[in-house]
Amino acid sequence: MAQLVGAEANVITPIPENGVGEIAYVVGGTRYSAPARAENNAAVANGRTVKITRIVGTQFYITSI
């Protein structure tokens, strides 16, 4: 999981302000999805490319690129 920090992902379920959405990322040619929240608690629209900044349990934290 540590290798995912810094990787790019795509928002597949919009992340509401102060809320949780979903991202998709690719590892070794396989696509995975995970719950995600923005580091700055801002809303992030569906389809945006983001960067994974940290992982806490099963929740990913992201920033917009």
Side-chain angles (χ1 to χ4, degrees):
M1 292 299 253
Q3 79 238 22
L4 294 174
V5 173
E8 290 186 4
N10 292 309
V11 176
I12 58 173
T13 301
I15 300 171
E17 185 176 346
N18 296 313
V20 178
E22 190 174 15
I23 59 168
Y25 57 94
V26 177
V27 174
T30 303
R31 186 174 188 228
Y32 298 93
S33 63
R37 137 182 327 268
E39 283 283 5
N40 61 0
N41 291 315
V44 183
N46 191 36
R48 293 286 307 266
T49 300
V50 296
K51 184 181 288 189
I52 299 168
T53 55
R54 62 186 169 118
I55 303 166
V56 179
T58 60
Q59 191 161 89
F60 286 53
Y61 286 79
I62 56 91
T63 58
S64 295
I65 295 179

